Amino acid sequence: MRVLTVLLGLAACSTLALASGAAFAQSIGIERVRQMAFDRGIVRLEEIEYKRRRNIWEVEGEDARGNDIEMHVDATTGRVLKMERD
């Protein structure tokens, strides 16, 4: 009986851990982020990277004049958190 109780407790903890992790999972895909970058003036993409710990997409590229652009996008909401041109 004790073994069954322990196993049920472990299963419940695992389910809670998975559910809480899912809340931070990305819902904005790379294609959407790519399109957002082009819509905001990036004409040449250098890198798009998903940062799991921060749950953001980091985008690096250039505009038509060759200026560097860095953009951070919230991976859940799609909101642009940072847009910086050098």
Side-chain angles (χ1 to χ4, degrees), residues 31-43 45 69 71 80 83 85:
E31 285 303 316
R32 173 121 183 255
V33 173
R34 185 178 161 277
Q35 188 58 51
M36 290 172 69
F38 290 138
D39 291 346
R40 285 166 176 77
I42 294 177
V43 296
L45 285 170
I69 298 177
M71 182 173 85
V80 176
M83 184 81 176
R85 294 174 194 258

